[in-house]
Amino acid sequence: MERDVEQLHAALNAVKILRSNVGYVFESVSNGLRADHGEDGKDAKFVTELQVLLTTVNNNLRDVENAVSNLTSPPGAFNLGNTTYLSQETTQERQALYGQLVNSYKWTDKIREYSAVAGHILQTNSISKTYKTFSMTKRRKTQTSIHNVPPDVIENHISAIDRLFTDMTITTSRPFVLNPIIQVSLGRVLKAIIAFKGLMIEWVVIKAHAESNDIWTESRYRVFQKVTENSHAAMCHFYAPTMPELGVRSFMHWLHSYITLFSSPCKKCANHLHSNLPPTWRDLRTLEPYHEECK
Amino acid sequence: MGVTVLQQFPIVEQRTGPSTIELLTKRIVALGATQQGQFLVDCETYSSVPQLGAQKTVHVLHNSEQPATVFSILETGSKTIPLITDGLFDLLMMKMSNFYQSKKQTKVESKGPRFEIGDFSVKLGSVAVSQNFKGILVEVEYRPCIVPAMCWDLIREFLQGFLGSSVSSTPPPYLQNKMQEVYTPNDTIQQYLEHFTVYRKSHFKM
Amino acid sequence: MHDGGKATRVIGIRSAEQVLTKNMTTPDSAKDSLTSALNSNIIPNREYLLQGSVVDQYVEVLLHRLRGLCDNVDDGAETFYDHEMCFSLCMNSSGNPLVFPLRVRRALDAQDAPYQLRYIGQQELGDKNRPTIVRSSIDVACSASIVEFLQELGCRLDFEYTARGYMFRKGRMKITVSKICKCGGGNKPGENIELISQSYLVELSVLAPSGYDAIAEDMRVFAEQLKPLVHLEKIDYKRL
């Protein structure tokens, strides 16, 4: 410990000497030629003086470097000792320290608990949108991307789906260069506005026919808001990066089952209404209508 | 404008009109409805003077749901012609008083509280023919749907939920011809006129 | 002119307040609000009118001048192509024939626009020095079933015509320059067009509630600016 302190002192000293000599250099350069340089040979004397000063600075720099290399960096955090208390409020009662500490402890505890449970649940469902290849050999080969698909391929798919159902009509608009936003009118029941990214469905909003075609405003009616939520779940469920056309087609099949939104009763409770809503859920495999609470 | 269905609610012997409205209000509020003000639908009738030939009647109706509109229905013996106009049409009818005269005694109106529950709008109206109370008329509108055929069963279930067994199992006669067409506010007015005519005729019974 | 406009606006606001504070719980019946509006004189039921005509050769010059004077000419003048049908309800009551005239006007170039039903009353006989014709007029927008409605009501179709031309606006004034043609009857008024004359009809009109006679003076001043191309004056219909 003592040796360290000594070496620290030596290093600090060396830095001090270096600083003062550098100061001298700048001072003499700024003063330029002085009276005590004499009459003859002023320039030569000035230059030699400058050279002497610069060599001293060089030596000092070398000393500083040697001193610093002898120092060892301190292990871990500094023990500030009593100096830590300088930054703190002296009266403990003015701070609500204890209460805040307790709250933040409770909060962090709850966060840990919830995130553990959520992590556990999410792990069991493999709905992750990132497509990972797990084999080493395939890493060199470029993955078949469903995002960079030429626009006419998308057009063909959309028109194929259009022809699939007679009571479902599709109109396409392209406000964002390549990615289409399609409006699907399902009979006279509802209309869905679907935004694509390449061949993947990115966002769905379901509204009544009379409402605007804006993809960012939600529907005014509770029933369509519920159907929009359900369609987001279906969108994730039908996501198939290996067979994107099949995914979109299955999603459209599922959406088409909503043509009976108002007319068919729930399969489980055989009623039309449950908490004033018709059956807004369509089973993902069987396409049967269920209420939100009955599924 | 969603599909709207009107339903008469029979008044039990022991109760009066306002108390029946109170009972229905309690029921609907228990289901979770919130009151959203009042509504008023009224109808005035003008009939042609004899010098114009065959008897023709013009019913002029207003609905507080569409406050800037006047609905008129012309009934000759054989035809019924609906007309939808701006508010100043009333002024025009007043100017035509030499040709079509208004029968003040047959002014019918239905007014009362208006509730909203989920996507439904419910109106509990007390019908009065020239200030005499005649009955209770309940109007239910299911806003998201515009084709009657699709949601008739749904509306019927809702009506049964708080009106009980008095709900008929067939759609109203006016709607039966229009089940597959898109619903318009004019259809609501025609249903009101149907009911008002029945109430006017019952004038003589009471 | 501006004072007249401000006055109507102030009166309009005041009476709306009266209507609102009257009954917040039950909605006013339409009849009640109409009568209160009539009493506070906010319904525009008078038309102030000046008419004139200009020969075909000089109509371009007139349009040029109007484009310089008027407000709504950002993308060229607004054109219109309308078909007007004039009905009248006639009745013989105790020897005096009563006639109630009604006009139905529809736009042939805008299929979605509603039909306009118009009642135009007799010219008000007043001050001989009044610069314009003043007559009562009620304008109501209506659905397409109006024609059948009027026919079943007992009205008879007197005549019909099509008008094609330009519409200009300056403040509250509306100026139309139009060519009147006879039309082929029935549902195809666009065919078999016969021109009635070699000139365009120019009309300057303002719709206002009764009592705003200052507007007539403004109209006369504006008409002065269109002389000598067209002389807009009040036409005595009885002398025609």
Side-chain angles (χ1 to χ4, degrees), chain A residues 188-189 208 221-224 259 262-263 271-273 276-278, chain B residues 117-120 142-145 147 150 153-154 157-158 180 182:
Chain A
R188 289 178 295 183
V189 180
Y221 303 116
R222 277 185 50 208
V223 61
F224 293 133
I259 198 145
F262 300 120
S263 27
N271 280 341
H272 278 282
L273 293 172
N276 301 314
L277 286 171
Chain B
I117 170 171
D119 292 321
F120 289 92
Y142 185 57
R143 293 197 305 272
C145 185
V147 179
M150 293 196 287
D153 290 313
L154 199 142
E157 202 179 294
F158 182 76
Q180 296 296 337
V182 173

PDB file of all heavy atoms in Angstrom, chain A residues 188-189 208 221-224 259 262-263 271-273 276-278, chain B residues 117-120 142-145 147 150 153-154 157-158 180 182:
ATOM      1  N   ARG A 188     -72.241  -8.184 -47.086  1.00  0.00           N
ATOM      2  CA  ARG A 188     -72.633  -6.880 -46.555  1.00  0.00           C
ATOM      3  C   ARG A 188     -72.433  -6.848 -45.048  1.00  0.00           C
ATOM      4  O   ARG A 188     -72.971  -6.001 -44.366  1.00  0.00           O
ATOM      5  CB  ARG A 188     -74.102  -6.606 -46.902  1.00  0.00           C
ATOM      6  CG  ARG A 188     -74.272  -6.324 -48.384  1.00  0.00           C
ATOM      7  CD  ARG A 188     -75.693  -6.107 -48.761  1.00  0.00           C
ATOM      8  NE  ARG A 188     -76.499  -7.292 -48.570  1.00  0.00           N
ATOM      9  CZ  ARG A 188     -77.790  -7.348 -48.902  1.00  0.00           C
ATOM     10  NH1 ARG A 188     -78.369  -6.299 -49.408  1.00  0.00           N
ATOM     11  NH2 ARG A 188     -78.479  -8.436 -48.704  1.00  0.00           N
ATOM     12  N   VAL A 189     -71.648  -7.807 -44.557  1.00  0.00           N
ATOM     13  CA  VAL A 189     -71.491  -7.919 -43.117  1.00  0.00           C
ATOM     14  C   VAL A 189     -70.421  -6.970 -42.600  1.00  0.00           C
ATOM     15  O   VAL A 189     -70.652  -6.169 -41.709  1.00  0.00           O
ATOM     16  CB  VAL A 189     -71.117  -9.364 -42.741  1.00  0.00           C
ATOM     17  CG1 VAL A 189     -70.956  -9.499 -41.248  1.00  0.00           C
ATOM     18  CG2 VAL A 189     -72.170 -10.316 -43.238  1.00  0.00           C
ATOM     19  N   ALA A 208     -67.217  -1.757 -40.161  1.00  0.00           N
ATOM     20  CA  ALA A 208     -68.463  -1.814 -40.928  1.00  0.00           C
ATOM     21  C   ALA A 208     -68.234  -1.135 -42.272  1.00  0.00           C
ATOM     22  O   ALA A 208     -67.344  -0.314 -42.427  1.00  0.00           O
ATOM     23  CB  ALA A 208     -69.569  -1.103 -40.169  1.00  0.00           C
ATOM     24  N   TYR A 221     -67.831   0.086 -33.489  1.00  0.00           N
ATOM     25  CA  TYR A 221     -68.740  -0.894 -32.889  1.00  0.00           C
ATOM     26  C   TYR A 221     -67.962  -1.946 -32.125  1.00  0.00           C
ATOM     27  O   TYR A 221     -66.953  -2.462 -32.586  1.00  0.00           O
ATOM     28  CB  TYR A 221     -69.571  -1.557 -33.998  1.00  0.00           C
ATOM     29  CG  TYR A 221     -70.328  -0.555 -34.814  1.00  0.00           C
ATOM     30  CD1 TYR A 221     -70.055  -0.372 -36.158  1.00  0.00           C
ATOM     31  CD2 TYR A 221     -71.304   0.236 -34.242  1.00  0.00           C
ATOM     32  CE1 TYR A 221     -70.741   0.562 -36.908  1.00  0.00           C
ATOM     33  CE2 TYR A 221     -71.986   1.178 -34.975  1.00  0.00           C
ATOM     34  CZ  TYR A 221     -71.700   1.336 -36.309  1.00  0.00           C
ATOM     35  OH  TYR A 221     -72.385   2.259 -37.031  1.00  0.00           O
ATOM     36  N   ARG A 222     -68.467  -2.282 -30.955  1.00  0.00           N
ATOM     37  CA  ARG A 222     -67.747  -3.226 -30.089  1.00  0.00           C
ATOM     38  C   ARG A 222     -67.574  -4.577 -30.748  1.00  0.00           C
ATOM     39  O   ARG A 222     -66.551  -5.222 -30.569  1.00  0.00           O
ATOM     40  CB  ARG A 222     -68.484  -3.378 -28.766  1.00  0.00           C
ATOM     41  CG  ARG A 222     -68.140  -2.262 -27.801  1.00  0.00           C
ATOM     42  CD  ARG A 222     -68.778  -2.470 -26.467  1.00  0.00           C
ATOM     43  NE  ARG A 222     -68.544  -3.801 -25.948  1.00  0.00           N
ATOM     44  CZ  ARG A 222     -69.369  -4.431 -25.127  1.00  0.00           C
ATOM     45  NH1 ARG A 222     -70.481  -3.852 -24.757  1.00  0.00           N
ATOM     46  NH2 ARG A 222     -69.088  -5.636 -24.700  1.00  0.00           N
ATOM     47  N   VAL A 223     -68.572  -5.005 -31.499  1.00  0.00           N
ATOM     48  CA  VAL A 223     -68.483  -6.334 -32.109  1.00  0.00           C
ATOM     49  C   VAL A 223     -67.303  -6.388 -33.088  1.00  0.00           C
ATOM     50  O   VAL A 223     -66.533  -7.353 -33.092  1.00  0.00           O
ATOM     51  CB  VAL A 223     -69.832  -6.726 -32.757  1.00  0.00           C
ATOM     52  CG1 VAL A 223     -70.233  -5.762 -33.842  1.00  0.00           C
ATOM     53  CG2 VAL A 223     -69.780  -8.117 -33.321  1.00  0.00           C
ATOM     54  N   PHE A 224     -67.115  -5.345 -33.879  1.00  0.00           N
ATOM     55  CA  PHE A 224     -66.003  -5.361 -34.822  1.00  0.00           C
ATOM     56  C   PHE A 224     -64.664  -5.176 -34.140  1.00  0.00           C
ATOM     57  O   PHE A 224     -63.639  -5.665 -34.624  1.00  0.00           O
ATOM     58  CB  PHE A 224     -66.196  -4.299 -35.905  1.00  0.00           C
ATOM     59  CG  PHE A 224     -67.354  -4.591 -36.822  1.00  0.00           C
ATOM     60  CD1 PHE A 224     -68.265  -3.612 -37.130  1.00  0.00           C
ATOM     61  CD2 PHE A 224     -67.529  -5.859 -37.342  1.00  0.00           C
ATOM     62  CE1 PHE A 224     -69.332  -3.893 -37.963  1.00  0.00           C
ATOM     63  CE2 PHE A 224     -68.588  -6.157 -38.170  1.00  0.00           C
ATOM     64  CZ  PHE A 224     -69.499  -5.160 -38.486  1.00  0.00           C
ATOM     65  N   ILE A 259     -68.965 -14.554 -42.382  1.00  0.00           N
ATOM     66  CA  ILE A 259     -70.126 -14.053 -43.119  1.00  0.00           C
ATOM     67  C   ILE A 259     -71.408 -14.309 -42.339  1.00  0.00           C
ATOM     68  O   ILE A 259     -72.429 -13.665 -42.546  1.00  0.00           O
ATOM     69  CB  ILE A 259     -70.163 -14.691 -44.522  1.00  0.00           C
ATOM     70  CG1 ILE A 259     -71.079 -13.867 -45.415  1.00  0.00           C
ATOM     71  CG2 ILE A 259     -70.619 -16.125 -44.485  1.00  0.00           C
ATOM     72  CD1 ILE A 259     -70.627 -13.809 -46.807  1.00  0.00           C
ATOM     73  N   PHE A 262     -73.758 -12.340 -37.781  1.00  0.00           N
ATOM     74  CA  PHE A 262     -74.979 -11.961 -37.072  1.00  0.00           C
ATOM     75  C   PHE A 262     -76.031 -13.046 -37.094  1.00  0.00           C
ATOM     76  O   PHE A 262     -76.979 -13.010 -36.323  1.00  0.00           O
ATOM     77  CB  PHE A 262     -75.568 -10.692 -37.702  1.00  0.00           C
ATOM     78  CG  PHE A 262     -74.637  -9.521 -37.654  1.00  0.00           C
ATOM     79  CD1 PHE A 262     -74.219  -8.895 -38.812  1.00  0.00           C
ATOM     80  CD2 PHE A 262     -74.164  -9.043 -36.448  1.00  0.00           C
ATOM     81  CE1 PHE A 262     -73.364  -7.811 -38.776  1.00  0.00           C
ATOM     82  CE2 PHE A 262     -73.302  -7.965 -36.397  1.00  0.00           C
ATOM     83  CZ  PHE A 262     -72.908  -7.348 -37.570  1.00  0.00           C
ATOM     84  N   SER A 263     -75.905 -14.000 -38.028  1.00  0.00           N
ATOM     85  CA  SER A 263     -77.033 -14.916 -38.187  1.00  0.00           C
ATOM     86  C   SER A 263     -76.899 -16.243 -37.464  1.00  0.00           C
ATOM     87  O   SER A 263     -77.903 -16.844 -37.150  1.00  0.00           O
ATOM     88  CB  SER A 263     -77.311 -15.167 -39.673  1.00  0.00           C
ATOM     89  OG  SER A 263     -76.147 -14.997 -40.419  1.00  0.00           O
ATOM     90  N   ASN A 271     -77.139 -19.597 -28.062  1.00  0.00           N
ATOM     91  CA  ASN A 271     -77.766 -18.277 -28.044  1.00  0.00           C
ATOM     92  C   ASN A 271     -77.087 -17.388 -29.055  1.00  0.00           C
ATOM     93  O   ASN A 271     -75.965 -17.635 -29.473  1.00  0.00           O
ATOM     94  CB  ASN A 271     -77.579 -17.632 -26.665  1.00  0.00           C
ATOM     95  CG  ASN A 271     -78.563 -18.148 -25.676  1.00  0.00           C
ATOM     96  OD1 ASN A 271     -79.580 -18.691 -26.046  1.00  0.00           O
ATOM     97  ND2 ASN A 271     -78.233 -17.990 -24.407  1.00  0.00           N
ATOM     98  N   HIS A 272     -77.797 -16.324 -29.426  1.00  0.00           N
ATOM     99  CA  HIS A 272     -77.147 -15.368 -30.315  1.00  0.00           C
ATOM    100  C   HIS A 272     -76.278 -14.402 -29.549  1.00  0.00           C
ATOM    101  O   HIS A 272     -75.234 -13.992 -30.009  1.00  0.00           O
ATOM    102  CB  HIS A 272     -78.196 -14.567 -31.084  1.00  0.00           C
ATOM    103  CG  HIS A 272     -78.703 -15.284 -32.274  1.00  0.00           C
ATOM    104  ND1 HIS A 272     -78.003 -15.361 -33.447  1.00  0.00           N
ATOM    105  CD2 HIS A 272     -79.834 -15.977 -32.481  1.00  0.00           C
ATOM    106  CE1 HIS A 272     -78.688 -16.065 -34.316  1.00  0.00           C
ATOM    107  NE2 HIS A 272     -79.804 -16.450 -33.770  1.00  0.00           N
ATOM    108  N   LEU A 273     -76.774 -14.009 -28.366  1.00  0.00           N
ATOM    109  CA  LEU A 273     -76.095 -12.938 -27.648  1.00  0.00           C
ATOM    110  C   LEU A 273     -75.540 -13.423 -26.326  1.00  0.00           C
ATOM    111  O   LEU A 273     -76.172 -14.199 -25.635  1.00  0.00           O
ATOM    112  CB  LEU A 273     -77.066 -11.795 -27.359  1.00  0.00           C
ATOM    113  CG  LEU A 273     -77.580 -11.028 -28.561  1.00  0.00           C
ATOM    114  CD1 LEU A 273     -78.662 -10.079 -28.115  1.00  0.00           C
ATOM    115  CD2 LEU A 273     -76.468 -10.246 -29.208  1.00  0.00           C
ATOM    116  N   ASN A 276     -74.389  -9.060 -24.783  1.00  0.00           N
ATOM    117  CA  ASN A 276     -74.745  -8.167 -25.884  1.00  0.00           C
ATOM    118  C   ASN A 276     -73.826  -8.229 -27.088  1.00  0.00           C
ATOM    119  O   ASN A 276     -73.727  -7.281 -27.852  1.00  0.00           O
ATOM    120  CB  ASN A 276     -74.843  -6.711 -25.402  1.00  0.00           C
ATOM    121  CG  ASN A 276     -75.873  -6.578 -24.316  1.00  0.00           C
ATOM    122  OD1 ASN A 276     -76.966  -7.111 -24.433  1.00  0.00           O
ATOM    123  ND2 ASN A 276     -75.511  -5.907 -23.246  1.00  0.00           N
ATOM    124  N   LEU A 277     -73.149  -9.370 -27.262  1.00  0.00           N
ATOM    125  CA  LEU A 277     -72.317  -9.516 -28.449  1.00  0.00           C
ATOM    126  C   LEU A 277     -72.657 -10.822 -29.134  1.00  0.00           C
ATOM    127  O   LEU A 277     -72.863 -11.826 -28.458  1.00  0.00           O
ATOM    128  CB  LEU A 277     -70.832  -9.538 -28.066  1.00  0.00           C
ATOM    129  CG  LEU A 277     -70.224  -8.200 -27.666  1.00  0.00           C
ATOM    130  CD1 LEU A 277     -68.837  -8.429 -27.110  1.00  0.00           C
ATOM    131  CD2 LEU A 277     -70.151  -7.281 -28.862  1.00  0.00           C
ATOM    132  N   PRO A 278     -72.646 -10.852 -30.458  1.00  0.00           N
ATOM    133  CA  PRO A 278     -72.870 -12.126 -31.144  1.00  0.00           C
ATOM    134  C   PRO A 278     -71.607 -12.971 -31.055  1.00  0.00           C
ATOM    135  O   PRO A 278     -70.581 -12.485 -30.586  1.00  0.00           O
ATOM    136  CB  PRO A 278     -73.152 -11.699 -32.589  1.00  0.00           C
ATOM    137  CG  PRO A 278     -72.483 -10.396 -32.728  1.00  0.00           C
ATOM    138  CD  PRO A 278     -72.508  -9.745 -31.381  1.00  0.00           C
TER     139      PRO A 278
ATOM    140  N   ILE B 117     -76.627   0.334 -25.074  1.00  0.00           N
ATOM    141  CA  ILE B 117     -76.057  -0.820 -24.377  1.00  0.00           C
ATOM    142  C   ILE B 117     -75.282  -1.635 -25.406  1.00  0.00           C
ATOM    143  O   ILE B 117     -75.864  -2.176 -26.334  1.00  0.00           O
ATOM    144  CB  ILE B 117     -77.181  -1.614 -23.659  1.00  0.00           C
ATOM    145  CG1 ILE B 117     -76.657  -2.935 -23.136  1.00  0.00           C
ATOM    146  CG2 ILE B 117     -78.381  -1.836 -24.544  1.00  0.00           C
ATOM    147  CD1 ILE B 117     -77.633  -3.642 -22.255  1.00  0.00           C
ATOM    148  N   GLY B 118     -73.952  -1.642 -25.275  1.00  0.00           N
ATOM    149  CA  GLY B 118     -73.122  -2.324 -26.261  1.00  0.00           C
ATOM    150  C   GLY B 118     -73.324  -1.667 -27.607  1.00  0.00           C
ATOM    151  O   GLY B 118     -73.235  -0.455 -27.748  1.00  0.00           O
ATOM    152  N   ASP B 119     -73.663  -2.448 -28.629  1.00  0.00           N
ATOM    153  CA  ASP B 119     -73.912  -1.894 -29.956  1.00  0.00           C
ATOM    154  C   ASP B 119     -75.391  -1.685 -30.224  1.00  0.00           C
ATOM    155  O   ASP B 119     -75.788  -1.434 -31.353  1.00  0.00           O
ATOM    156  CB  ASP B 119     -73.349  -2.839 -31.032  1.00  0.00           C
ATOM    157  CG  ASP B 119     -71.839  -2.882 -31.008  1.00  0.00           C
ATOM    158  OD1 ASP B 119     -71.219  -1.824 -30.809  1.00  0.00           O
ATOM    159  OD2 ASP B 119     -71.282  -3.980 -31.181  1.00  0.00           O
ATOM    160  N   PHE B 120     -76.226  -1.792 -29.175  1.00  0.00           N
ATOM    161  CA  PHE B 120     -77.664  -1.600 -29.337  1.00  0.00           C
ATOM    162  C   PHE B 120     -78.074  -0.210 -28.878  1.00  0.00           C
ATOM    163  O   PHE B 120     -77.473   0.353 -27.967  1.00  0.00           O
ATOM    164  CB  PHE B 120     -78.436  -2.607 -28.460  1.00  0.00           C
ATOM    165  CG  PHE B 120     -78.364  -4.024 -28.940  1.00  0.00           C
ATOM    166  CD1 PHE B 120     -77.374  -4.868 -28.475  1.00  0.00           C
ATOM    167  CD2 PHE B 120     -79.298  -4.523 -29.826  1.00  0.00           C
ATOM    168  CE1 PHE B 120     -77.305  -6.179 -28.912  1.00  0.00           C
ATOM    169  CE2 PHE B 120     -79.245  -5.835 -30.256  1.00  0.00           C
ATOM    170  CZ  PHE B 120     -78.247  -6.663 -29.800  1.00  0.00           C
ATOM    171  N   TYR B 142     -79.917  -2.222 -33.828  1.00  0.00           N
ATOM    172  CA  TYR B 142     -78.615  -2.890 -33.739  1.00  0.00           C
ATOM    173  C   TYR B 142     -77.717  -2.249 -34.782  1.00  0.00           C
ATOM    174  O   TYR B 142     -77.872  -2.491 -35.981  1.00  0.00           O
ATOM    175  CB  TYR B 142     -78.757  -4.391 -33.977  1.00  0.00           C
ATOM    176  CG  TYR B 142     -77.448  -5.130 -33.782  1.00  0.00           C
ATOM    177  CD1 TYR B 142     -76.772  -5.032 -32.573  1.00  0.00           C
ATOM    178  CD2 TYR B 142     -76.877  -5.890 -34.784  1.00  0.00           C
ATOM    179  CE1 TYR B 142     -75.567  -5.672 -32.375  1.00  0.00           C
ATOM    180  CE2 TYR B 142     -75.681  -6.540 -34.594  1.00  0.00           C
ATOM    181  CZ  TYR B 142     -75.014  -6.416 -33.381  1.00  0.00           C
ATOM    182  OH  TYR B 142     -73.818  -7.055 -33.191  1.00  0.00           O
ATOM    183  N   ARG B 143     -76.829  -1.384 -34.304  1.00  0.00           N
ATOM    184  CA  ARG B 143     -76.123  -0.490 -35.217  1.00  0.00           C
ATOM    185  C   ARG B 143     -75.163  -1.126 -36.225  1.00  0.00           C
ATOM    186  O   ARG B 143     -75.076  -0.665 -37.338  1.00  0.00           O
ATOM    187  CB  ARG B 143     -75.417   0.614 -34.440  1.00  0.00           C
ATOM    188  CG  ARG B 143     -76.388   1.569 -33.762  1.00  0.00           C
ATOM    189  CD  ARG B 143     -75.712   2.868 -33.360  1.00  0.00           C
ATOM    190  NE  ARG B 143     -74.556   2.639 -32.523  1.00  0.00           N
ATOM    191  CZ  ARG B 143     -74.596   2.537 -31.218  1.00  0.00           C
ATOM    192  NH1 ARG B 143     -75.730   2.632 -30.581  1.00  0.00           N
ATOM    193  NH2 ARG B 143     -73.483   2.323 -30.528  1.00  0.00           N
ATOM    194  N   PRO B 144     -74.390  -2.170 -35.875  1.00  0.00           N
ATOM    195  CA  PRO B 144     -73.410  -2.646 -36.865  1.00  0.00           C
ATOM    196  C   PRO B 144     -74.017  -3.283 -38.103  1.00  0.00           C
ATOM    197  O   PRO B 144     -73.379  -3.299 -39.146  1.00  0.00           O
ATOM    198  CB  PRO B 144     -72.609  -3.700 -36.099  1.00  0.00           C
ATOM    199  CG  PRO B 144     -72.855  -3.428 -34.678  1.00  0.00           C
ATOM    200  CD  PRO B 144     -74.209  -2.854 -34.592  1.00  0.00           C
ATOM    201  N   CYS B 145     -75.251  -3.827 -38.011  1.00  0.00           N
ATOM    202  CA  CYS B 145     -75.759  -4.602 -39.138  1.00  0.00           C
ATOM    203  C   CYS B 145     -76.713  -3.773 -39.975  1.00  0.00           C
ATOM    204  O   CYS B 145     -77.496  -3.002 -39.440  1.00  0.00           O
ATOM    205  CB  CYS B 145     -76.496  -5.827 -38.586  1.00  0.00           C
ATOM    206  SG  CYS B 145     -77.043  -6.923 -39.873  1.00  0.00           S
ATOM    207  N   VAL B 147     -78.509  -5.272 -42.805  1.00  0.00           N
ATOM    208  CA  VAL B 147     -79.445  -6.110 -43.550  1.00  0.00           C
ATOM    209  C   VAL B 147     -80.321  -6.841 -42.550  1.00  0.00           C
ATOM    210  O   VAL B 147     -79.831  -7.603 -41.734  1.00  0.00           O
ATOM    211  CB  VAL B 147     -78.683  -7.123 -44.425  1.00  0.00           C
ATOM    212  CG1 VAL B 147     -79.657  -8.007 -45.166  1.00  0.00           C
ATOM    213  CG2 VAL B 147     -77.781  -6.405 -45.392  1.00  0.00           C
ATOM    214  N   MET B 150     -80.114 -10.771 -41.767  1.00  0.00           N
ATOM    215  CA  MET B 150     -78.983 -11.359 -41.047  1.00  0.00           C
ATOM    216  C   MET B 150     -79.173 -11.296 -39.550  1.00  0.00           C
ATOM    217  O   MET B 150     -78.695 -12.131 -38.821  1.00  0.00           O
ATOM    218  CB  MET B 150     -77.698 -10.626 -41.431  1.00  0.00           C
ATOM    219  CG  MET B 150     -77.324 -10.845 -42.868  1.00  0.00           C
ATOM    220  SD  MET B 150     -75.639 -10.394 -43.212  1.00  0.00           S
ATOM    221  CE  MET B 150     -75.725  -8.647 -43.160  1.00  0.00           C
ATOM    222  N   ASP B 153     -82.904 -12.655 -35.888  1.00  0.00           N
ATOM    223  CA  ASP B 153     -82.913 -13.561 -34.721  1.00  0.00           C
ATOM    224  C   ASP B 153     -82.180 -12.952 -33.537  1.00  0.00           C
ATOM    225  O   ASP B 153     -82.598 -13.088 -32.385  1.00  0.00           O
ATOM    226  CB  ASP B 153     -82.232 -14.891 -35.101  1.00  0.00           C
ATOM    227  CG  ASP B 153     -83.083 -15.686 -36.059  1.00  0.00           C
ATOM    228  OD1 ASP B 153     -84.286 -15.812 -35.795  1.00  0.00           O
ATOM    229  OD2 ASP B 153     -82.540 -16.147 -37.083  1.00  0.00           O
ATOM    230  N   LEU B 154     -81.083 -12.278 -33.854  1.00  0.00           N
ATOM    231  CA  LEU B 154     -80.278 -11.651 -32.804  1.00  0.00           C
ATOM    232  C   LEU B 154     -81.083 -10.587 -32.072  1.00  0.00           C
ATOM    233  O   LEU B 154     -81.117 -10.523 -30.834  1.00  0.00           O
ATOM    234  CB  LEU B 154     -79.069 -11.011 -33.498  1.00  0.00           C
ATOM    235  CG  LEU B 154     -77.851 -10.657 -32.722  1.00  0.00           C
ATOM    236  CD1 LEU B 154     -76.665 -10.968 -33.607  1.00  0.00           C
ATOM    237  CD2 LEU B 154     -77.836  -9.204 -32.418  1.00  0.00           C
ATOM    238  N   GLU B 157     -83.797 -12.088 -29.915  1.00  0.00           N
ATOM    239  CA  GLU B 157     -83.281 -12.621 -28.655  1.00  0.00           C
ATOM    240  C   GLU B 157     -83.079 -11.491 -27.655  1.00  0.00           C
ATOM    241  O   GLU B 157     -83.416 -11.610 -26.478  1.00  0.00           O
ATOM    242  CB  GLU B 157     -81.943 -13.307 -28.930  1.00  0.00           C
ATOM    243  CG  GLU B 157     -81.552 -14.318 -27.900  1.00  0.00           C
ATOM    244  CD  GLU B 157     -80.238 -14.965 -28.251  1.00  0.00           C
ATOM    245  OE1 GLU B 157     -80.208 -15.678 -29.267  1.00  0.00           O
ATOM    246  OE2 GLU B 157     -79.273 -14.746 -27.518  1.00  0.00           O
ATOM    247  N   PHE B 158     -82.527 -10.384 -28.139  1.00  0.00           N
ATOM    248  CA  PHE B 158     -82.308  -9.228 -27.259  1.00  0.00           C
ATOM    249  C   PHE B 158     -83.632  -8.713 -26.708  1.00  0.00           C
ATOM    250  O   PHE B 158     -83.757  -8.417 -25.509  1.00  0.00           O
ATOM    251  CB  PHE B 158     -81.583  -8.136 -28.043  1.00  0.00           C
ATOM    252  CG  PHE B 158     -81.262  -6.928 -27.231  1.00  0.00           C
ATOM    253  CD1 PHE B 158     -80.220  -6.931 -26.328  1.00  0.00           C
ATOM    254  CD2 PHE B 158     -82.015  -5.776 -27.356  1.00  0.00           C
ATOM    255  CE1 PHE B 158     -79.927  -5.821 -25.567  1.00  0.00           C
ATOM    256  CE2 PHE B 158     -81.729  -4.657 -26.604  1.00  0.00           C
ATOM    257  CZ  PHE B 158     -80.686  -4.676 -25.701  1.00  0.00           C
ATOM    258  N   GLN B 180     -83.977  -8.592 -47.312  1.00  0.00           N
ATOM    259  CA  GLN B 180     -82.659  -8.717 -47.929  1.00  0.00           C
ATOM    260  C   GLN B 180     -82.093  -7.395 -48.396  1.00  0.00           C
ATOM    261  O   GLN B 180     -81.000  -7.363 -48.922  1.00  0.00           O
ATOM    262  CB  GLN B 180     -82.740  -9.676 -49.132  1.00  0.00           C
ATOM    263  CG  GLN B 180     -83.105 -11.090 -48.763  1.00  0.00           C
ATOM    264  CD  GLN B 180     -82.056 -11.743 -47.905  1.00  0.00           C
ATOM    265  OE1 GLN B 180     -80.893 -11.358 -47.911  1.00  0.00           O
ATOM    266  NE2 GLN B 180     -82.465 -12.732 -47.146  1.00  0.00           N
ATOM    267  N   VAL B 182     -80.815  -3.311 -48.023  1.00  0.00           N
ATOM    268  CA  VAL B 182     -80.110  -2.493 -47.051  1.00  0.00           C
ATOM    269  C   VAL B 182     -81.115  -1.608 -46.315  1.00  0.00           C
ATOM    270  O   VAL B 182     -82.006  -1.042 -46.921  1.00  0.00           O
ATOM    271  CB  VAL B 182     -79.060  -1.610 -47.770  1.00  0.00           C
ATOM    272  CG1 VAL B 182     -78.433  -0.641 -46.806  1.00  0.00           C
ATOM    273  CG2 VAL B 182     -78.006  -2.490 -48.391  1.00  0.00           C
TER     274      VAL B 182
END
